[in-house]
Amino acid sequence: MTKKREVEDSMVAEEASPKRQKVIERSSPSLPPIAFENPLLPLASYDDDDEDDEDDGRRGHTSEQVINNGGNKEQNGYSSDEEENEDDGRSQGKRNRAIEIRRDCPYLDTVNRQVLDFDFEKFCSVSLTNLNVYACLVCGKYFQGRGPKSHAYTHSLEAGHHVYINLQTEKVYCLPDGYEVIDPSLDDIIHVLNPRFNGEQVEQLDKSRQWSRALDGSDYLPGTVGLNNIKETDFVNVTIQSLMRVTPLRNFFLIPENYQHSRSPLVHRFGELTRKIWHARNFKGQVSPHEFLQAVMKASKKRFRIGAQSDPVEFMSWLLNTLHAELRTSKKGSSIIHRCFQGELEVVKEMHGRPIAEKRENGDAPNNGNGEDGRHGSHNISMESSRMPFLMLGLDLPPPPLFKDVMEKNIIPQVPLFNILKKFDGETVTEVVRPRIARMRYRVTKLPQYLILHMRRFTKNNFFMEKNPTLVNFPVKNLELKDYIPLQAPKENEKLRSKFDLIANIVHDGKPGEGSYRVFVQRKSEELWYEMQDLHVSETLPQMVALSEAYMQIYEQHQQ
């Protein structure tokens, strides 16, 4: 019996030998990896938590080893965080490691795509750390590490969930065995975790009319997906949906290599949100901007935060200026923000100085040379002219009537957009009180490619906030500015581009200081208009866009 068992064991070993290749020494770092190329890898905010790496300079290295079970001699090409021992304080320097690569994991059928959601912050659900976080592909929860004492390892033993993905490196592992899984069926999960676009795909976005289908069977349009209102964050949602219509800005943020030089978390979170909104292979038909909101709270020092309603005009102004500051490479450098939105104004400021004749202490005024006793002191009038850039133009609405009509209803006045645009014709005088009483005249000297207009509906006095309900009549297409604003003649071989089309219209509903925001946006591929309010997206008629209380608008310049 003993000899028979030895013969059987030797036969099993011989059958297993072609399936398992010998250990490949990881001696040359220049060998090509087989994992997905991740352009965001050097930009990720997750750090290595392998305690052994800190001792490399003092204790020296020993070679890392990879066991390949895929049939071809391929190198794994992973960084030094591949075997986490964050809970093991007894580690003494780098040890020999063997990472097995398999393509035949028996647990892939347990992966549940219905529960996967990568929109929220990548924090371990137990330790609340963002270092080396893995997502369980069976229940969707996040855990740290995969070493023998890590939370993911413990979860795999307690819950019987065996398939995990590293949220930084996008590699999939089977725990507690610890081998890496390479299978084409997991590619869709990797694309949802980190959507990717190439130049050709970006160019085709405005031409594609194809709908996408979520896992629950619902259809959605890439780029026209609802955004989750986490709590009083509709002012962020309408701003994001409006900026997604700005083609150069969208195309810039769809490719991470364009802003890999920036270390700002806000820039990278905005890029991630842009790619998720335009991704055609999402598991669900909406996107949650949770990570972006966390970056906004930190960058704005809680000026804009979850749970507190704010003004989309203020948020738009802050966001554009902050993104510009983080994207430019020098103090006077330009950015995609300024290339899209920056125009120029000529401002003429007329101020009245103090009277020359000042009353004396005894109340007698000196003789000013006119034979009068200084009752009409002469004033100095100073004129200042300057050029200043702008990202948006504020338009003043006429005051609403104070009285009600015969039916005891408030009269809601209407005003054409061209009437309030006269503020920028260089002749109309605008009275200002702060910082000094002055008369201002504005003239647009340079039009941006995308013009942002803001209707000043809200005024705040000492007691309450007041809303102006005046409706603004505006054209949806072919807004011709040169007929109402005197523009400078273009240079030689250049064409005067003064026609604009509306692409986004933000509306406020409800009482001042309360209420909610919604936005009308245009989808270029079909030239259809959609009304979007948080998760609700519905097609609407262009005539309905102009029947609302417009608060902020984005116009796109004709390029022909």
Short mmCIF file of all heavy atoms in Angstrom, two decimals, residues 124-181:
data_model
loop_
_atom_site.label_atom_id
_atom_site.label_comp_id
_atom_site.label_asym_id
_atom_site.label_seq_id
_atom_site.Cartn_x
_atom_site.Cartn_y
_atom_site.Cartn_z
N CYS A 124 -11.61 52.51 4.42
CA CYS A 124 -11.89 51.21 5.02
C CYS A 124 -13.09 51.33 5.96
O CYS A 124 -13.16 52.26 6.77
CB CYS A 124 -10.66 50.71 5.78
SG CYS A 124 -10.95 49.20 6.73
N SER A 125 -14.03 50.41 5.84
CA SER A 125 -15.24 50.49 6.66
C SER A 125 -14.99 50.14 8.12
O SER A 125 -15.86 50.35 8.96
CB SER A 125 -16.31 49.55 6.09
OG SER A 125 -15.83 48.21 6.05
N VAL A 126 -13.79 49.62 8.43
CA VAL A 126 -13.47 49.25 9.82
C VAL A 126 -12.52 50.27 10.43
O VAL A 126 -12.79 50.86 11.48
CB VAL A 126 -12.87 47.84 9.89
CG1 VAL A 126 -12.53 47.46 11.33
CG2 VAL A 126 -13.84 46.82 9.30
N SER A 127 -11.38 50.50 9.77
CA SER A 127 -10.36 51.38 10.34
C SER A 127 -10.48 52.83 9.89
O SER A 127 -9.79 53.69 10.40
CB SER A 127 -8.97 50.85 9.97
OG SER A 127 -8.79 50.89 8.55
N LEU A 128 -11.34 53.11 8.90
CA LEU A 128 -11.56 54.45 8.37
C LEU A 128 -10.29 55.08 7.82
O LEU A 128 -10.10 56.29 7.88
CB LEU A 128 -12.17 55.37 9.45
CG LEU A 128 -13.54 54.94 10.00
CD1 LEU A 128 -14.04 55.94 11.02
CD2 LEU A 128 -14.55 54.77 8.87
N THR A 129 -9.40 54.27 7.29
CA THR A 129 -8.19 54.79 6.66
C THR A 129 -8.35 54.69 5.14
O THR A 129 -9.13 53.88 4.63
CB THR A 129 -6.95 54.01 7.10
OG1 THR A 129 -5.80 54.56 6.46
CG2 THR A 129 -7.06 52.55 6.71
N ASN A 130 -7.61 55.55 4.43
CA ASN A 130 -7.67 55.51 2.97
C ASN A 130 -6.40 54.91 2.39
O ASN A 130 -6.12 55.10 1.20
CB ASN A 130 -7.90 56.92 2.41
CG ASN A 130 -6.73 57.85 2.68
OD1 ASN A 130 -5.93 57.60 3.58
ND2 ASN A 130 -6.64 58.93 1.93
N LEU A 131 -5.65 54.19 3.17
CA LEU A 131 -4.40 53.58 2.71
C LEU A 131 -4.65 52.13 2.32
O LEU A 131 -5.15 51.34 3.12
CB LEU A 131 -3.33 53.64 3.81
CG LEU A 131 -3.00 55.05 4.34
CD1 LEU A 131 -1.99 54.96 5.48
CD2 LEU A 131 -2.47 55.92 3.22
N ASN A 132 -4.28 51.80 1.07
CA ASN A 132 -4.35 50.41 0.61
C ASN A 132 -5.74 49.81 0.82
O ASN A 132 -5.91 48.81 1.52
CB ASN A 132 -3.31 49.57 1.35
CG ASN A 132 -2.27 49.05 0.38
OD1 ASN A 132 -2.44 49.11 -0.84
ND2 ASN A 132 -1.21 48.54 0.91
N VAL A 133 -6.74 50.42 0.22
CA VAL A 133 -8.11 49.99 0.43
C VAL A 133 -8.52 49.02 -0.69
O VAL A 133 -8.22 49.25 -1.86
CB VAL A 133 -9.06 51.20 0.46
CG1 VAL A 133 -10.50 50.76 0.67
CG2 VAL A 133 -8.65 52.15 1.57
N TYR A 134 -9.18 47.95 -0.29
CA TYR A 134 -9.71 46.95 -1.22
C TYR A 134 -11.22 46.95 -1.13
O TYR A 134 -11.79 47.13 -0.06
CB TYR A 134 -9.18 45.56 -0.89
CG TYR A 134 -7.73 45.35 -1.21
CD1 TYR A 134 -6.73 45.88 -0.40
CD2 TYR A 134 -7.33 44.62 -2.33
CE1 TYR A 134 -5.39 45.71 -0.68
CE2 TYR A 134 -5.99 44.44 -2.63
CZ TYR A 134 -5.03 44.98 -1.81
OH TYR A 134 -3.70 44.80 -2.11
N ALA A 135 -11.87 46.74 -2.27
CA ALA A 135 -13.33 46.60 -2.30
C ALA A 135 -13.69 45.14 -2.45
O ALA A 135 -13.15 44.44 -3.32
CB ALA A 135 -13.93 47.41 -3.45
N CYS A 136 -14.58 44.67 -1.59
CA CYS A 136 -15.08 43.30 -1.72
C CYS A 136 -16.07 43.27 -2.88
O CYS A 136 -17.06 44.00 -2.88
CB CYS A 136 -15.75 42.87 -0.42
SG CYS A 136 -16.55 41.25 -0.52
N LEU A 137 -15.80 42.47 -3.88
CA LEU A 137 -16.66 42.41 -5.06
C LEU A 137 -17.90 41.56 -4.85
O LEU A 137 -18.69 41.39 -5.78
CB LEU A 137 -15.86 41.88 -6.26
CG LEU A 137 -14.67 42.73 -6.69
CD1 LEU A 137 -14.03 42.17 -7.95
CD2 LEU A 137 -15.07 44.18 -6.91
N VAL A 138 -18.07 41.03 -3.64
CA VAL A 138 -19.26 40.23 -3.33
C VAL A 138 -20.30 41.07 -2.60
O VAL A 138 -21.49 41.01 -2.90
CB VAL A 138 -18.88 39.00 -2.50
CG1 VAL A 138 -20.12 38.14 -2.22
CG2 VAL A 138 -17.82 38.18 -3.22
N CYS A 139 -19.86 41.90 -1.63
CA CYS A 139 -20.80 42.73 -0.88
C CYS A 139 -20.61 44.22 -1.11
O CYS A 139 -21.45 45.01 -0.68
CB CYS A 139 -20.70 42.42 0.61
SG CYS A 139 -19.11 42.86 1.35
N GLY A 140 -19.51 44.63 -1.75
CA GLY A 140 -19.29 46.04 -2.06
C GLY A 140 -18.64 46.84 -0.97
O GLY A 140 -18.38 48.04 -1.16
N LYS A 141 -18.33 46.26 0.19
CA LYS A 141 -17.73 47.02 1.29
C LYS A 141 -16.23 47.20 1.07
O LYS A 141 -15.59 46.43 0.36
CB LYS A 141 -17.98 46.30 2.62
CG LYS A 141 -19.44 46.25 3.02
CD LYS A 141 -19.62 45.54 4.36
CE LYS A 141 -21.09 45.48 4.75
NZ LYS A 141 -21.29 44.76 6.04
N TYR A 142 -15.68 48.23 1.70
CA TYR A 142 -14.26 48.56 1.58
C TYR A 142 -13.52 48.09 2.82
O TYR A 142 -13.98 48.28 3.95
CB TYR A 142 -14.06 50.08 1.43
CG TYR A 142 -14.59 50.67 0.14
CD1 TYR A 142 -14.66 52.05 -0.03
CD2 TYR A 142 -15.04 49.86 -0.90
CE1 TYR A 142 -15.15 52.61 -1.21
CE2 TYR A 142 -15.52 50.41 -2.08
CZ TYR A 142 -15.57 51.78 -2.22
OH TYR A 142 -16.05 52.32 -3.40
N PHE A 143 -12.33 47.49 2.59
CA PHE A 143 -11.50 47.02 3.69
C PHE A 143 -10.03 47.33 3.36
O PHE A 143 -9.65 47.40 2.20
CB PHE A 143 -11.67 45.52 3.93
CG PHE A 143 -13.05 45.12 4.31
CD1 PHE A 143 -13.94 44.63 3.35
CD2 PHE A 143 -13.50 45.26 5.61
CE1 PHE A 143 -15.22 44.26 3.69
CE2 PHE A 143 -14.78 44.88 5.96
CZ PHE A 143 -15.65 44.39 5.00
N GLN A 144 -9.26 47.46 4.43
CA GLN A 144 -7.84 47.78 4.26
C GLN A 144 -7.00 46.51 4.17
O GLN A 144 -7.22 45.55 4.90
CB GLN A 144 -7.35 48.64 5.43
CG GLN A 144 -5.89 49.06 5.30
CD GLN A 144 -5.38 49.73 6.57
OE1 GLN A 144 -5.95 49.53 7.63
NE2 GLN A 144 -4.32 50.50 6.45
N GLY A 145 -6.02 46.57 3.27
CA GLY A 145 -5.00 45.54 3.20
C GLY A 145 -5.51 44.18 2.75
O GLY A 145 -6.69 43.97 2.51
N ARG A 146 -4.55 43.25 2.60
CA ARG A 146 -4.93 41.86 2.36
C ARG A 146 -3.95 40.90 3.02
O ARG A 146 -3.91 39.72 2.71
CB ARG A 146 -5.02 41.59 0.86
CG ARG A 146 -3.72 41.52 0.12
CD ARG A 146 -3.91 40.99 -1.29
NE ARG A 146 -2.67 40.46 -1.81
CZ ARG A 146 -1.69 41.20 -2.30
NH1 ARG A 146 -1.80 42.50 -2.30
NH2 ARG A 146 -0.59 40.63 -2.75
N GLY A 147 -3.14 41.42 3.93
CA GLY A 147 -2.21 40.57 4.68
C GLY A 147 -2.95 39.69 5.66
O GLY A 147 -4.16 39.83 5.88
N PRO A 148 -2.24 38.76 6.30
CA PRO A 148 -2.89 37.78 7.20
C PRO A 148 -3.64 38.40 8.36
O PRO A 148 -4.53 37.78 8.91
CB PRO A 148 -1.72 36.92 7.69
CG PRO A 148 -0.67 37.08 6.63
CD PRO A 148 -0.81 38.46 6.10
N LYS A 149 -3.29 39.64 8.75
CA LYS A 149 -3.98 40.28 9.88
C LYS A 149 -4.78 41.49 9.43
O LYS A 149 -5.15 42.32 10.26
CB LYS A 149 -2.97 40.69 10.96
CG LYS A 149 -2.31 39.52 11.64
CD LYS A 149 -1.49 39.96 12.83
CE LYS A 149 -0.87 38.77 13.56
NZ LYS A 149 -0.11 39.18 14.75
N SER A 150 -5.05 41.61 8.16
CA SER A 150 -5.75 42.78 7.65
C SER A 150 -7.26 42.59 7.76
O SER A 150 -7.77 41.48 7.99
CB SER A 150 -5.37 43.02 6.19
OG SER A 150 -5.82 41.95 5.38
N HIS A 151 -7.98 43.68 7.58
CA HIS A 151 -9.44 43.63 7.69
C HIS A 151 -10.06 42.87 6.52
O HIS A 151 -11.08 42.18 6.69
CB HIS A 151 -10.00 45.05 7.76
CG HIS A 151 -9.48 45.85 8.92
ND1 HIS A 151 -9.67 45.45 10.23
CD2 HIS A 151 -8.76 47.00 8.99
CE1 HIS A 151 -9.10 46.32 11.05
NE2 HIS A 151 -8.55 47.27 10.31
N ALA A 152 -9.50 43.03 5.32
CA ALA A 152 -10.03 42.29 4.18
C ALA A 152 -9.84 40.79 4.36
O ALA A 152 -10.74 40.00 4.03
CB ALA A 152 -9.36 42.77 2.89
N TYR A 153 -8.68 40.39 4.88
CA TYR A 153 -8.41 38.97 5.13
C TYR A 153 -9.40 38.40 6.14
O TYR A 153 -9.96 37.32 5.96
CB TYR A 153 -6.97 38.84 5.62
CG TYR A 153 -6.45 37.43 5.69
CD1 TYR A 153 -5.74 36.88 4.63
CD2 TYR A 153 -6.64 36.64 6.82
CE1 TYR A 153 -5.24 35.59 4.68
CE2 TYR A 153 -6.16 35.34 6.89
CZ TYR A 153 -5.45 34.82 5.83
OH TYR A 153 -4.96 33.54 5.88
N THR A 154 -9.64 39.17 7.22
CA THR A 154 -10.58 38.73 8.24
C THR A 154 -12.00 38.62 7.66
O THR A 154 -12.73 37.67 7.95
CB THR A 154 -10.57 39.71 9.42
OG1 THR A 154 -9.24 39.84 9.92
CG2 THR A 154 -11.50 39.25 10.53
N HIS A 155 -12.37 39.59 6.83
CA HIS A 155 -13.71 39.56 6.23
C HIS A 155 -13.88 38.36 5.30
O HIS A 155 -14.94 37.74 5.26
CB HIS A 155 -13.93 40.86 5.44
CG HIS A 155 -15.25 40.93 4.74
ND1 HIS A 155 -16.45 41.08 5.40
CD2 HIS A 155 -15.56 40.84 3.41
CE1 HIS A 155 -17.45 41.10 4.53
NE2 HIS A 155 -16.94 40.95 3.31
N SER A 156 -12.81 38.00 4.60
CA SER A 156 -12.89 36.84 3.70
C SER A 156 -13.13 35.56 4.48
O SER A 156 -13.83 34.65 3.99
CB SER A 156 -11.62 36.73 2.87
OG SER A 156 -10.52 36.35 3.68
N LEU A 157 -12.58 35.47 5.68
CA LEU A 157 -12.77 34.26 6.50
C LEU A 157 -14.14 34.26 7.18
O LEU A 157 -14.81 33.22 7.26
CB LEU A 157 -11.67 34.17 7.55
CG LEU A 157 -10.24 33.97 7.02
CD1 LEU A 157 -9.24 33.99 8.17
CD2 LEU A 157 -10.13 32.66 6.25
N GLU A 158 -14.57 35.42 7.68
CA GLU A 158 -15.82 35.48 8.42
C GLU A 158 -17.04 35.40 7.51
O GLU A 158 -18.01 34.69 7.82
CB GLU A 158 -15.87 36.78 9.24
CG GLU A 158 -14.87 36.83 10.39
CD GLU A 158 -14.96 38.13 11.15
OE1 GLU A 158 -15.62 39.06 10.65
OE2 GLU A 158 -14.37 38.22 12.24
N ALA A 159 -17.00 36.12 6.39
CA ALA A 159 -18.18 36.20 5.52
C ALA A 159 -18.12 35.22 4.35
O ALA A 159 -19.13 35.02 3.67
CB ALA A 159 -18.34 37.63 4.98
N GLY A 160 -16.96 34.65 4.10
CA GLY A 160 -16.83 33.75 2.96
C GLY A 160 -16.82 34.47 1.63
O GLY A 160 -17.19 33.90 0.60
N HIS A 161 -16.41 35.75 1.64
CA HIS A 161 -16.29 36.54 0.40
C HIS A 161 -14.83 36.53 -0.02
O HIS A 161 -13.96 36.94 0.75
CB HIS A 161 -16.78 37.97 0.63
CG HIS A 161 -18.23 38.06 1.02
ND1 HIS A 161 -18.84 39.22 1.45
CD2 HIS A 161 -19.21 37.10 1.02
CE1 HIS A 161 -20.10 38.98 1.71
NE2 HIS A 161 -20.35 37.70 1.47
N HIS A 162 -14.55 36.13 -1.24
CA HIS A 162 -13.17 35.82 -1.61
C HIS A 162 -12.56 36.72 -2.68
O HIS A 162 -11.35 36.66 -2.87
CB HIS A 162 -13.09 34.36 -2.08
CG HIS A 162 -13.53 33.37 -1.05
ND1 HIS A 162 -12.80 33.08 0.08
CD2 HIS A 162 -14.67 32.61 -0.98
CE1 HIS A 162 -13.45 32.17 0.80
NE2 HIS A 162 -14.59 31.87 0.18
N VAL A 163 -13.33 37.55 -3.38
CA VAL A 163 -12.78 38.32 -4.51
C VAL A 163 -12.73 39.79 -4.13
O VAL A 163 -13.75 40.37 -3.73
CB VAL A 163 -13.63 38.12 -5.78
CG1 VAL A 163 -12.92 38.74 -6.98
CG2 VAL A 163 -13.89 36.65 -6.03
N TYR A 164 -11.53 40.39 -4.25
CA TYR A 164 -11.31 41.78 -3.84
C TYR A 164 -10.52 42.50 -4.93
O TYR A 164 -9.69 41.90 -5.61
CB TYR A 164 -10.53 41.85 -2.52
CG TYR A 164 -11.27 41.24 -1.36
CD1 TYR A 164 -11.31 39.86 -1.17
CD2 TYR A 164 -11.96 42.04 -0.45
CE1 TYR A 164 -12.01 39.30 -0.11
CE2 TYR A 164 -12.65 41.49 0.61
CZ TYR A 164 -12.69 40.12 0.78
OH TYR A 164 -13.37 39.58 1.82
N ILE A 165 -10.78 43.81 -5.06
CA ILE A 165 -10.04 44.63 -6.01
C ILE A 165 -9.36 45.77 -5.27
O ILE A 165 -9.95 46.40 -4.39
CB ILE A 165 -10.97 45.19 -7.12
CG1 ILE A 165 -10.15 45.94 -8.18
CG2 ILE A 165 -12.06 46.07 -6.56
CD1 ILE A 165 -10.95 46.30 -9.42
N ASN A 166 -8.09 46.00 -5.59
CA ASN A 166 -7.35 47.11 -5.02
C ASN A 166 -7.81 48.39 -5.71
O ASN A 166 -7.72 48.52 -6.93
CB ASN A 166 -5.85 46.90 -5.22
CG ASN A 166 -5.01 47.94 -4.49
OD1 ASN A 166 -5.21 49.13 -4.65
ND2 ASN A 166 -4.06 47.46 -3.71
N LEU A 167 -8.31 49.36 -4.95
CA LEU A 167 -8.88 50.56 -5.53
C LEU A 167 -7.84 51.49 -6.11
O LEU A 167 -8.19 52.42 -6.83
CB LEU A 167 -9.71 51.31 -4.47
CG LEU A 167 -10.91 50.53 -3.93
CD1 LEU A 167 -11.63 51.32 -2.87
CD2 LEU A 167 -11.86 50.15 -5.05
N GLN A 168 -6.56 51.23 -5.82
CA GLN A 168 -5.50 52.05 -6.39
C GLN A 168 -4.90 51.39 -7.63
O GLN A 168 -4.85 51.98 -8.70
CB GLN A 168 -4.40 52.31 -5.36
CG GLN A 168 -3.21 53.06 -5.94
CD GLN A 168 -2.02 53.04 -5.02
OE1 GLN A 168 -2.08 52.46 -3.93
NE2 GLN A 168 -0.93 53.65 -5.43
N THR A 169 -4.45 50.15 -7.48
CA THR A 169 -3.75 49.48 -8.59
C THR A 169 -4.71 48.78 -9.54
O THR A 169 -4.29 48.34 -10.61
CB THR A 169 -2.76 48.45 -8.04
OG1 THR A 169 -3.49 47.43 -7.33
CG2 THR A 169 -1.78 49.11 -7.08
N GLU A 170 -5.98 48.63 -9.14
CA GLU A 170 -7.03 47.98 -9.94
C GLU A 170 -6.75 46.49 -10.16
O GLU A 170 -7.29 45.89 -11.10
CB GLU A 170 -7.19 48.68 -11.30
CG GLU A 170 -7.51 50.15 -11.16
CD GLU A 170 -7.50 50.86 -12.50
OE1 GLU A 170 -7.31 50.18 -13.53
OE2 GLU A 170 -7.68 52.08 -12.53
N LYS A 171 -5.93 45.88 -9.32
CA LYS A 171 -5.68 44.45 -9.42
C LYS A 171 -6.65 43.68 -8.54
O LYS A 171 -7.06 44.14 -7.47
CB LYS A 171 -4.24 44.14 -9.00
CG LYS A 171 -3.20 44.75 -9.94
CD LYS A 171 -1.80 44.39 -9.51
CE LYS A 171 -0.76 44.99 -10.47
NZ LYS A 171 0.61 44.68 -10.05
N VAL A 172 -7.03 42.50 -9.00
CA VAL A 172 -8.02 41.68 -8.32
C VAL A 172 -7.32 40.50 -7.66
O VAL A 172 -6.46 39.86 -8.27
CB VAL A 172 -9.09 41.18 -9.31
CG1 VAL A 172 -10.14 40.34 -8.60
CG2 VAL A 172 -9.76 42.37 -10.01
N TYR A 173 -7.70 40.21 -6.42
CA TYR A 173 -7.08 39.14 -5.65
C TYR A 173 -8.15 38.25 -5.05
O TYR A 173 -9.28 38.68 -4.81
CB TYR A 173 -6.20 39.70 -4.52
CG TYR A 173 -5.04 40.51 -5.01
CD1 TYR A 173 -5.15 41.88 -5.19
CD2 TYR A 173 -3.81 39.91 -5.30
CE1 TYR A 173 -4.09 42.64 -5.63
CE2 TYR A 173 -2.73 40.66 -5.75
CZ TYR A 173 -2.88 42.02 -5.91
OH TYR A 173 -1.83 42.77 -6.37
N CYS A 174 -7.76 37.01 -4.81
CA CYS A 174 -8.62 36.06 -4.12
C CYS A 174 -8.06 35.84 -2.72
O CYS A 174 -6.89 35.47 -2.55
CB CYS A 174 -8.67 34.74 -4.88
SG CYS A 174 -9.72 33.48 -4.09
N LEU A 175 -8.88 36.09 -1.72
CA LEU A 175 -8.47 35.91 -0.33
C LEU A 175 -9.31 34.78 0.27
O LEU A 175 -10.45 34.56 -0.13
CB LEU A 175 -8.69 37.22 0.46
CG LEU A 175 -7.88 38.43 0.00
CD1 LEU A 175 -8.17 39.62 0.91
CD2 LEU A 175 -6.39 38.13 -0.03
N PRO A 176 -8.78 34.05 1.22
CA PRO A 176 -7.48 34.24 1.89
C PRO A 176 -6.29 33.62 1.17
O PRO A 176 -5.18 33.69 1.67
CB PRO A 176 -7.71 33.56 3.23
CG PRO A 176 -8.65 32.44 2.91
CD PRO A 176 -9.57 32.97 1.84
N ASP A 177 -6.49 33.01 0.00
CA ASP A 177 -5.38 32.36 -0.70
C ASP A 177 -4.31 33.36 -1.11
O ASP A 177 -3.12 33.02 -1.11
CB ASP A 177 -5.90 31.60 -1.93
CG ASP A 177 -6.85 30.48 -1.55
OD1 ASP A 177 -6.86 30.14 -0.35
OD2 ASP A 177 -7.58 29.99 -2.42
N GLY A 178 -4.71 34.56 -1.51
CA GLY A 178 -3.74 35.60 -1.79
C GLY A 178 -3.25 35.67 -3.22
O GLY A 178 -2.37 36.48 -3.52
N TYR A 179 -3.77 34.85 -4.13
CA TYR A 179 -3.26 34.91 -5.49
C TYR A 179 -4.02 35.99 -6.28
O TYR A 179 -5.14 36.35 -5.97
CB TYR A 179 -3.38 33.55 -6.19
CG TYR A 179 -4.78 32.98 -6.28
CD1 TYR A 179 -5.66 33.38 -7.29
CD2 TYR A 179 -5.21 32.02 -5.35
CE1 TYR A 179 -6.93 32.84 -7.38
CE2 TYR A 179 -6.49 31.49 -5.44
CZ TYR A 179 -7.34 31.90 -6.45
OH TYR A 179 -8.61 31.39 -6.53
N GLU A 180 -3.34 36.50 -7.33
CA GLU A 180 -3.94 37.52 -8.18
C GLU A 180 -4.76 36.85 -9.28
O GLU A 180 -4.36 35.83 -9.84
CB GLU A 180 -2.85 38.40 -8.81
CG GLU A 180 -3.41 39.53 -9.67
CD GLU A 180 -2.33 40.37 -10.32
OE1 GLU A 180 -1.15 40.21 -9.95
OE2 GLU A 180 -2.68 41.18 -11.20
N VAL A 181 -5.90 37.45 -9.57
CA VAL A 181 -6.81 36.92 -10.57
C VAL A 181 -6.76 37.81 -11.81
O VAL A 181 -6.93 39.04 -11.71
CB VAL A 181 -8.26 36.86 -10.04
CG1 VAL A 181 -9.19 36.27 -11.10
CG2 VAL A 181 -8.32 36.05 -8.76
#
